Amino acid sequence: MTYHPRGPGGTTTASLTRIIRDSLDRLRAFDRHRPRVWDAAVTAFWVVAAVLDYTSGGWRTVAHDDVTAPELLVLLMSLGFSLPLLWRRTHPLAVLLLMAPVSVVNIWTGAVVQAALLQLIPVFQIVLRSSLRTVGAAALLFVVPVLAGGIRIPAAWGQEVVSYVWGLVFVVLLGIAVRTRREYTEALVERAHRLEHERDQQARLAAAAERTRIAREMHDIIGHNLSVITGLADGGAYAARKNPERAGQALEAIGTTSRQALAELRRLLGVLRDDHPDGERTPQPTLDELAPLIDRVRRAGLTVHLELNGDPLRAPLTPGRQLTVYRVVQEALTNTLKHATGPTSATVALSCSRTHLEAHITDTGTGATSTADAEEAPLPAQGIMGMRERAALYDGTLEAGPLPDHGGWQIRLRLPLEDTHP
Protein backbone atom coordinates (compact mmCIF):
# COMPACT_ATOMS: atom_id res chain seq x y z
CA MET A 1 0.00 0.00 0.00
CA THR A 2 1.35 3.43 -0.96
CA TYR A 3 0.97 6.25 1.51
CA HIS A 4 -0.26 9.53 0.08
CA PRO A 5 0.15 12.52 2.39
CA ARG A 6 -3.03 14.51 2.89
CA GLY A 7 -3.68 17.95 4.17
CA PRO A 8 -1.74 21.18 3.75
CA GLY A 9 1.55 19.71 5.02
CA GLY A 10 1.54 16.80 2.54
CA THR A 11 0.60 19.07 -0.36
CA THR A 12 3.37 21.53 0.51
CA THR A 13 5.95 18.73 0.70
CA ALA A 14 4.89 17.30 -2.65
CA SER A 15 4.95 20.73 -4.29
CA LEU A 16 8.39 21.50 -2.87
CA THR A 17 9.74 18.15 -4.09
CA ARG A 18 8.31 18.78 -7.55
CA ILE A 19 9.83 22.27 -7.67
CA ILE A 20 13.26 20.96 -6.68
CA ARG A 21 13.09 18.14 -9.23
CA ASP A 22 12.00 20.49 -12.02
CA SER A 23 14.77 22.93 -11.13
CA LEU A 24 17.39 20.18 -11.22
CA ASP A 25 16.08 18.96 -14.57
CA ARG A 26 16.31 22.48 -16.02
CA LEU A 27 19.81 22.85 -14.62
CA ARG A 28 20.94 19.56 -16.20
CA ALA A 29 19.37 20.57 -19.51
CA PHE A 30 21.22 23.91 -19.42
CA ASP A 31 24.47 22.08 -18.65
CA ARG A 32 23.97 19.70 -21.59
CA HIS A 33 23.28 22.51 -24.07
CA ARG A 34 25.85 25.05 -22.79
CA PRO A 35 28.60 23.16 -20.93
CA ARG A 36 31.22 25.89 -21.35
CA VAL A 37 28.92 28.52 -19.87
CA TRP A 38 28.26 26.31 -16.86
CA ASP A 39 31.96 25.54 -16.41
CA ALA A 40 32.78 29.24 -16.55
CA ALA A 41 30.08 30.05 -14.00
CA VAL A 42 31.29 27.38 -11.56
CA THR A 43 34.91 28.45 -11.97
CA ALA A 44 34.02 32.12 -11.46
CA PHE A 45 32.17 31.25 -8.27
CA TRP A 46 35.16 29.44 -6.76
CA VAL A 47 37.61 32.12 -7.94
CA VAL A 48 35.55 34.78 -6.17
CA ALA A 49 35.36 32.60 -3.03
CA ALA A 50 39.16 32.06 -3.05
CA VAL A 51 39.90 35.75 -3.55
CA LEU A 52 37.47 36.70 -0.79
CA ASP A 53 39.24 34.26 1.53
CA TYR A 54 42.49 36.07 0.72
CA THR A 55 41.21 39.63 0.94
CA SER A 56 39.29 39.06 4.15
CA GLY A 57 42.28 37.40 5.80
CA GLY A 58 40.34 34.25 6.51
CA TRP A 59 43.29 32.09 5.52
CA ARG A 60 45.22 33.42 8.55
CA THR A 61 42.79 31.71 10.95
CA VAL A 62 44.04 28.27 9.85
CA ALA A 63 47.63 29.20 8.93
CA HIS A 64 50.47 28.00 11.17
CA ASP A 65 52.38 30.37 13.41
CA ASP A 66 55.60 29.97 11.46
CA VAL A 67 54.01 30.75 8.06
CA THR A 68 56.61 32.07 5.61
CA ALA A 69 54.41 32.78 2.58
CA PRO A 70 54.08 36.42 1.44
CA GLU A 71 50.59 37.66 0.76
CA LEU A 72 51.13 37.84 -3.00
CA LEU A 73 52.05 34.14 -2.98
CA VAL A 74 48.88 33.37 -1.02
CA LEU A 75 46.84 35.17 -3.71
CA LEU A 76 48.62 33.26 -6.48
CA MET A 77 48.02 29.97 -4.67
CA SER A 78 44.31 30.79 -4.28
CA LEU A 79 44.08 31.48 -8.01
CA GLY A 80 46.17 28.36 -8.78
CA PHE A 81 43.60 26.21 -6.99
CA SER A 82 40.50 27.88 -8.49
CA LEU A 83 41.26 28.95 -12.09
CA PRO A 84 42.12 25.44 -13.42
CA LEU A 85 38.60 24.29 -12.49
CA LEU A 86 37.52 25.61 -15.90
CA TRP A 87 38.88 22.33 -17.38
CA ARG A 88 37.83 20.07 -14.51
CA ARG A 89 35.45 17.99 -16.67
CA THR A 90 37.44 17.84 -19.91
CA HIS A 91 40.91 17.23 -18.41
CA PRO A 92 40.48 16.45 -14.68
CA LEU A 93 43.80 14.63 -14.28
CA ALA A 94 45.71 17.50 -15.94
CA VAL A 95 43.98 19.95 -13.61
CA LEU A 96 45.03 17.89 -10.60
CA LEU A 97 48.62 17.74 -11.91
CA LEU A 98 48.58 21.51 -12.27
CA MET A 99 47.34 21.93 -8.70
CA ALA A 100 49.85 19.48 -7.16
CA PRO A 101 52.87 21.90 -7.12
CA VAL A 102 50.63 24.63 -5.71
CA SER A 103 49.53 22.20 -2.99
CA VAL A 104 53.17 21.43 -2.11
CA VAL A 105 53.96 25.14 -1.78
CA ASN A 106 50.77 25.69 0.21
CA ILE A 107 51.58 23.02 2.81
CA TRP A 108 55.34 23.69 2.86
CA THR A 109 54.91 27.40 3.64
CA GLY A 110 52.29 26.72 6.30
CA ALA A 111 49.73 29.04 4.71
CA VAL A 112 47.15 26.25 4.26
CA VAL A 113 44.67 28.29 2.17
CA GLN A 114 41.16 26.88 2.15
CA ALA A 115 41.13 26.83 -1.66
CA ALA A 116 43.36 23.73 -1.50
CA LEU A 117 40.22 21.67 -0.87
CA LEU A 118 39.13 22.53 -4.42
CA GLN A 119 41.43 19.68 -5.52
CA LEU A 120 38.62 17.35 -4.47
CA ILE A 121 36.49 18.59 -7.39
CA PRO A 122 38.73 17.14 -10.16
CA VAL A 123 39.21 14.05 -7.99
CA PHE A 124 35.43 13.59 -8.02
CA GLN A 125 35.37 13.93 -11.83
CA ILE A 126 38.15 11.34 -12.14
CA VAL A 127 36.24 8.87 -9.96
CA LEU A 128 33.15 9.37 -12.15
CA ARG A 129 34.87 8.65 -15.45
CA SER A 130 38.25 6.96 -15.09
CA SER A 131 39.62 3.55 -14.24
CA LEU A 132 40.66 2.37 -10.79
CA ARG A 133 44.34 2.91 -11.62
CA THR A 134 43.70 6.55 -12.56
CA VAL A 135 41.71 7.06 -9.37
CA GLY A 136 44.66 5.72 -7.36
CA ALA A 137 47.04 8.10 -9.13
CA ALA A 138 44.71 11.01 -8.41
CA ALA A 139 44.52 10.05 -4.74
CA LEU A 140 48.34 10.04 -4.54
CA LEU A 141 48.55 13.47 -6.19
CA PHE A 142 46.18 14.77 -3.55
CA VAL A 143 47.68 13.05 -0.48
CA VAL A 144 51.44 13.19 -1.13
CA PRO A 145 51.79 17.00 -0.81
CA VAL A 146 49.76 16.86 2.41
CA LEU A 147 52.00 14.13 3.83
CA ALA A 148 55.10 16.09 2.83
CA GLY A 149 53.78 19.12 4.67
CA GLY A 150 53.01 16.96 7.68
CA ILE A 151 56.62 15.79 7.79
CA ARG A 152 57.91 19.35 7.69
CA ILE A 153 55.30 20.70 10.14
CA PRO A 154 54.38 17.96 12.65
CA ALA A 155 51.54 20.09 14.02
CA ALA A 156 49.75 19.69 10.68
CA TRP A 157 49.03 16.01 11.27
CA GLY A 158 46.12 16.59 13.59
CA GLN A 159 44.53 19.33 11.50
CA GLU A 160 45.36 19.27 7.79
CA VAL A 161 46.43 15.68 7.14
CA VAL A 162 43.52 13.96 8.85
CA SER A 163 40.89 16.35 7.47
CA TYR A 164 42.31 16.12 3.93
CA VAL A 165 42.39 12.32 4.03
CA TRP A 166 38.83 12.11 5.34
CA GLY A 167 37.72 14.56 2.66
CA LEU A 168 39.37 12.39 0.01
CA VAL A 169 37.67 9.25 1.33
CA PHE A 170 34.28 10.96 1.35
CA VAL A 171 34.65 12.30 -2.20
CA VAL A 172 35.84 8.93 -3.56
CA LEU A 173 32.90 7.10 -1.95
CA LEU A 174 30.48 9.73 -3.21
CA GLY A 175 31.90 9.46 -6.73
CA ILE A 176 31.62 5.67 -6.66
CA ALA A 177 27.98 5.90 -5.52
CA VAL A 178 27.09 8.45 -8.21
CA ARG A 179 28.95 6.48 -10.89
CA THR A 180 27.24 3.23 -9.89
CA ARG A 181 23.85 4.89 -9.96
CA ARG A 182 24.54 6.46 -13.35
CA GLU A 183 25.76 3.20 -14.87
CA TYR A 184 22.74 1.38 -13.45
CA THR A 185 20.38 3.96 -14.96
CA GLU A 186 22.16 3.80 -18.32
CA ALA A 187 21.95 0.01 -18.25
CA LEU A 188 18.20 0.20 -17.59
CA VAL A 189 17.69 2.67 -20.43
CA GLU A 190 19.75 0.53 -22.80
CA ARG A 191 17.85 -2.58 -21.77
CA ALA A 192 14.52 -0.80 -22.31
CA HIS A 193 15.61 0.29 -25.80
CA ARG A 194 16.83 -3.21 -26.62
CA LEU A 195 13.58 -4.81 -25.40
CA GLU A 196 11.56 -2.27 -27.37
CA HIS A 197 13.57 -3.06 -30.49
CA GLU A 198 13.18 -6.81 -29.94
CA ARG A 199 9.45 -6.40 -29.33
CA ASP A 200 9.01 -4.46 -32.58
CA GLN A 201 11.10 -7.04 -34.41
CA GLN A 202 9.05 -9.92 -33.00
CA ALA A 203 5.86 -8.09 -33.94
CA ARG A 204 7.06 -7.69 -37.53
CA LEU A 205 8.09 -11.33 -37.72
CA ALA A 206 4.76 -12.46 -36.28
CA ALA A 207 2.83 -10.29 -38.76
CA ALA A 208 4.90 -11.61 -41.67
CA ALA A 209 4.40 -15.22 -40.57
CA GLU A 210 0.67 -14.71 -40.20
CA ARG A 211 0.42 -13.09 -43.64
CA THR A 212 2.28 -16.04 -45.11
CA ARG A 213 -0.11 -18.49 -43.47
CA ILE A 214 -3.13 -16.50 -44.67
CA ALA A 215 -1.72 -16.50 -48.20
CA ARG A 216 -1.37 -20.30 -48.20
CA GLU A 217 -4.92 -20.72 -46.92
CA MET A 218 -6.35 -18.25 -49.45
CA HIS A 219 -4.53 -20.17 -52.19
CA ASP A 220 -6.76 -23.15 -51.49
CA ILE A 221 -9.93 -21.03 -51.39
CA ILE A 222 -9.20 -19.31 -54.69
CA GLY A 223 -8.18 -22.60 -56.28
CA HIS A 224 -11.49 -24.11 -55.20
CA ASN A 225 -13.45 -21.16 -56.62
CA LEU A 226 -11.66 -21.38 -59.96
CA SER A 227 -12.33 -25.09 -60.13
CA VAL A 228 -16.04 -24.41 -59.57
CA ILE A 229 -15.99 -21.74 -62.27
CA THR A 230 -14.39 -24.15 -64.72
CA GLY A 231 -16.97 -26.82 -63.99
CA LEU A 232 -19.87 -24.38 -64.28
CA ALA A 233 -18.51 -23.03 -67.56
CA ASP A 234 -18.21 -26.51 -69.05
CA GLY A 235 -21.69 -27.42 -67.84
CA GLY A 236 -23.14 -24.14 -69.13
CA ALA A 237 -21.61 -24.64 -72.57
CA TYR A 238 -23.20 -28.07 -72.74
CA ALA A 239 -26.58 -26.84 -71.43
CA ALA A 240 -26.67 -23.86 -73.82
CA ARG A 241 -27.33 -26.18 -76.73
CA LYS A 242 -30.27 -27.97 -75.09
CA ASN A 243 -31.58 -25.86 -72.17
CA PRO A 244 -30.86 -22.11 -72.41
CA GLU A 245 -32.52 -21.51 -69.03
CA ARG A 246 -30.06 -23.83 -67.27
CA ALA A 247 -27.21 -22.13 -69.16
CA GLY A 248 -28.34 -18.77 -67.76
CA GLN A 249 -28.30 -20.17 -64.23
CA ALA A 250 -24.80 -21.50 -64.80
CA LEU A 251 -23.61 -18.11 -66.04
CA GLU A 252 -25.14 -16.41 -63.01
CA ALA A 253 -23.36 -18.86 -60.68
CA ILE A 254 -20.12 -18.27 -62.57
CA GLY A 255 -20.48 -14.53 -62.01
CA THR A 256 -21.08 -14.93 -58.27
CA THR A 257 -18.22 -17.36 -57.76
CA SER A 258 -15.79 -15.33 -59.88
CA ARG A 259 -16.58 -12.14 -57.96
CA GLN A 260 -15.80 -13.94 -54.70
CA ALA A 261 -12.55 -15.28 -56.13
CA LEU A 262 -11.62 -11.84 -57.44
CA ALA A 263 -12.24 -10.27 -54.03
CA GLU A 264 -9.99 -12.87 -52.40
CA LEU A 265 -7.33 -12.29 -55.06
CA ARG A 266 -7.35 -8.51 -54.46
CA ARG A 267 -6.63 -9.12 -50.79
CA LEU A 268 -3.79 -11.45 -51.63
CA LEU A 269 -2.05 -8.76 -53.69
CA GLY A 270 -1.16 -6.97 -50.46
CA VAL A 271 -0.01 -10.04 -48.59
CA LEU A 272 3.67 -10.95 -48.61
CA ARG A 273 4.02 -14.62 -49.37
CA ASP A 274 6.81 -17.17 -49.53
CA ASP A 275 6.54 -20.67 -50.90
CA HIS A 276 6.49 -23.71 -48.62
CA PRO A 277 6.49 -26.92 -50.65
CA ASP A 278 5.58 -28.86 -47.51
CA GLY A 279 2.80 -26.44 -46.51
CA GLU A 280 -0.64 -27.62 -45.54
CA ARG A 281 -2.88 -28.21 -48.59
CA THR A 282 -5.89 -29.85 -46.91
CA PRO A 283 -9.34 -28.26 -47.21
CA GLN A 284 -9.61 -25.30 -44.87
CA PRO A 285 -12.11 -25.41 -41.99
CA THR A 286 -15.45 -23.59 -42.05
CA LEU A 287 -18.00 -22.68 -39.40
CA ASP A 288 -19.30 -26.24 -39.56
CA GLU A 289 -16.00 -27.32 -38.00
CA LEU A 290 -16.52 -25.22 -34.86
CA ALA A 291 -18.40 -27.97 -33.02
CA PRO A 292 -15.61 -30.57 -33.55
CA LEU A 293 -13.05 -27.94 -32.51
CA ILE A 294 -14.90 -27.26 -29.26
CA ASP A 295 -15.23 -30.98 -28.58
CA ARG A 296 -11.46 -31.38 -28.94
CA VAL A 297 -10.88 -28.50 -26.52
CA ARG A 298 -13.29 -30.05 -24.02
CA ARG A 299 -11.41 -33.34 -24.21
CA ALA A 300 -8.23 -31.38 -23.44
CA GLY A 301 -9.75 -30.35 -20.09
CA LEU A 302 -11.35 -26.94 -20.71
CA THR A 303 -15.07 -26.49 -20.19
CA VAL A 304 -16.44 -24.61 -23.22
CA HIS A 305 -19.99 -23.37 -23.80
CA LEU A 306 -21.18 -22.55 -27.32
CA GLU A 307 -23.95 -19.97 -27.76
CA LEU A 308 -25.55 -19.28 -31.15
CA ASN A 309 -27.78 -16.27 -31.85
CA GLY A 310 -29.38 -15.65 -35.23
CA ASP A 311 -28.18 -18.95 -36.84
CA PRO A 312 -24.61 -17.77 -37.60
CA LEU A 313 -23.69 -21.23 -38.96
CA ARG A 314 -26.00 -20.59 -41.91
CA ALA A 315 -24.94 -16.98 -42.49
CA PRO A 316 -23.92 -16.09 -46.09
CA LEU A 317 -20.21 -15.94 -45.29
CA THR A 318 -17.48 -16.45 -47.86
CA PRO A 319 -15.02 -19.30 -47.17
CA GLY A 320 -12.33 -16.78 -46.21
CA ARG A 321 -14.55 -15.15 -43.59
CA GLN A 322 -15.56 -18.53 -42.18
CA LEU A 323 -11.89 -19.46 -41.93
CA THR A 324 -11.16 -16.19 -40.11
CA VAL A 325 -13.87 -16.85 -37.50
CA TYR A 326 -12.65 -20.41 -37.04
CA ARG A 327 -9.00 -19.38 -36.58
CA VAL A 328 -9.89 -16.63 -34.10
CA VAL A 329 -11.91 -19.05 -31.96
CA GLN A 330 -9.15 -21.64 -32.23
CA GLU A 331 -6.43 -19.15 -31.19
CA ALA A 332 -8.47 -17.81 -28.27
CA LEU A 333 -9.24 -21.26 -26.86
CA THR A 334 -5.65 -22.39 -27.36
CA ASN A 335 -4.34 -19.38 -25.42
CA THR A 336 -6.80 -20.13 -22.62
CA LEU A 337 -5.56 -23.75 -22.43
CA LYS A 338 -1.92 -22.64 -22.38
CA HIS A 339 -1.94 -19.66 -20.03
CA ALA A 340 -4.99 -19.73 -17.77
CA THR A 341 -4.62 -21.16 -14.26
CA GLY A 342 -7.12 -22.34 -11.69
CA PRO A 343 -10.66 -23.53 -12.46
CA THR A 344 -11.35 -22.14 -15.91
CA SER A 345 -14.24 -22.21 -18.32
CA ALA A 346 -14.75 -20.51 -21.66
CA THR A 347 -17.75 -19.30 -23.63
CA VAL A 348 -17.92 -18.91 -27.41
CA ALA A 349 -20.87 -16.74 -28.43
CA LEU A 350 -21.70 -16.29 -32.13
CA SER A 351 -24.35 -13.81 -33.19
CA CYS A 352 -25.43 -12.86 -36.68
CA SER A 353 -27.28 -9.76 -37.90
CA ARG A 354 -28.25 -8.69 -41.40
CA THR A 355 -24.85 -7.08 -42.00
CA HIS A 356 -22.35 -8.50 -39.52
CA LEU A 357 -21.28 -11.64 -37.72
CA GLU A 358 -19.84 -11.25 -34.23
CA ALA A 359 -17.80 -13.76 -32.22
CA HIS A 360 -17.28 -13.12 -28.49
CA ILE A 361 -14.90 -15.50 -26.70
CA THR A 362 -14.48 -15.14 -22.93
CA ASP A 363 -12.81 -17.17 -20.21
CA THR A 364 -12.61 -17.10 -16.42
CA GLY A 365 -8.89 -17.86 -16.13
CA THR A 366 -6.57 -16.05 -13.74
CA GLY A 367 -3.22 -16.76 -15.42
CA ALA A 368 -1.81 -14.73 -18.28
CA THR A 369 -5.10 -12.90 -18.65
CA SER A 370 -4.03 -9.61 -17.20
CA THR A 371 -2.74 -6.72 -19.21
CA ALA A 372 0.73 -6.93 -17.63
CA ASP A 373 1.02 -10.62 -18.42
CA ALA A 374 -0.11 -10.06 -21.97
CA GLU A 375 2.59 -7.42 -22.40
CA GLU A 376 5.32 -9.60 -20.89
CA ALA A 377 4.45 -12.85 -22.70
CA PRO A 378 5.35 -12.63 -26.40
CA LEU A 379 3.23 -15.56 -27.61
CA PRO A 380 -0.23 -14.25 -26.58
CA ALA A 381 0.66 -10.80 -27.94
CA GLN A 382 1.70 -12.29 -31.29
CA GLY A 383 -1.42 -14.42 -31.39
CA ILE A 384 -3.63 -11.37 -30.88
CA MET A 385 -1.70 -9.52 -33.57
CA GLY A 386 -2.24 -12.39 -35.97
CA MET A 387 -5.97 -12.42 -35.25
CA ARG A 388 -6.13 -8.68 -35.92
CA GLU A 389 -4.36 -9.26 -39.25
CA ARG A 390 -7.02 -11.79 -40.22
CA ALA A 391 -9.89 -9.50 -39.20
CA ALA A 392 -8.43 -6.53 -41.07
CA LEU A 393 -8.20 -8.64 -44.22
CA TYR A 394 -12.01 -8.58 -44.39
CA ASP A 395 -12.57 -5.05 -43.03
CA GLY A 396 -13.38 -6.48 -39.61
CA THR A 397 -12.30 -5.45 -36.12
CA LEU A 398 -10.89 -7.42 -33.20
CA GLU A 399 -10.74 -6.27 -29.59
CA ALA A 400 -8.84 -8.13 -26.85
CA GLY A 401 -8.47 -7.33 -23.17
CA PRO A 402 -9.33 -8.29 -19.61
CA LEU A 403 -12.94 -8.56 -18.52
CA PRO A 404 -14.01 -5.42 -16.63
CA ASP A 405 -15.85 -7.04 -13.73
CA HIS A 406 -13.76 -10.09 -12.78
CA GLY A 407 -10.68 -12.04 -13.69
CA GLY A 408 -10.60 -13.41 -17.18
CA TRP A 409 -9.99 -12.43 -20.78
CA GLN A 410 -12.20 -11.60 -23.72
CA ILE A 411 -11.81 -11.42 -27.50
CA ARG A 412 -14.49 -9.81 -29.65
CA LEU A 413 -14.44 -10.26 -33.44
CA ARG A 414 -16.79 -8.35 -35.71
CA LEU A 415 -16.89 -9.19 -39.44
CA PRO A 416 -19.10 -7.73 -42.18
CA LEU A 417 -20.99 -10.32 -44.18
CA GLU A 418 -20.17 -8.63 -47.49
CA ASP A 419 -17.33 -6.56 -48.86
CA THR A 420 -17.58 -2.83 -48.16
CA HIS A 421 -15.36 -1.87 -51.11
CA PRO A 422 -15.38 -2.85 -54.77
Side-chain angles (χ1 to χ4, degrees), residues 25 55 209 359:
D25 290 340
T55 57

Coordinates of all heavy atoms in Angstrom, one line a residue, residues 25 55 209 359:
D25 N 16.2 19.4 -13.2 CA 16.1 19.0 -14.6 C 16.4 20.1 -15.5 O 17.1 19.9 -16.5 CB 14.7 18.5 -14.9 CG 14.4 17.1 -14.2 OD1 15.3 16.4 -13.8 OD2 13.2 16.8 -14.0
T55 N 41.4 38.2 0.6 CA 41.2 39.6 0.9 C 40.7 39.8 2.3 O 41.0 40.8 3.0 CB 40.3 40.3 -0.1 OG1 39.0 39.6 -0.1 CG2 40.9 40.3 -1.5
A209 N 4.8 -13.8 -40.6 CA 4.4 -15.2 -40.6 C 2.9 -15.4 -40.7 O 2.5 -16.4 -41.4 CB 4.9 -15.8 -39.3
A359 N -18.2 -12.7 -33.1 CA -17.8 -13.8 -32.2 C -17.2 -13.2 -30.9 O -16.3 -12.3 -31.0 CB -16.8 -14.6 -32.9

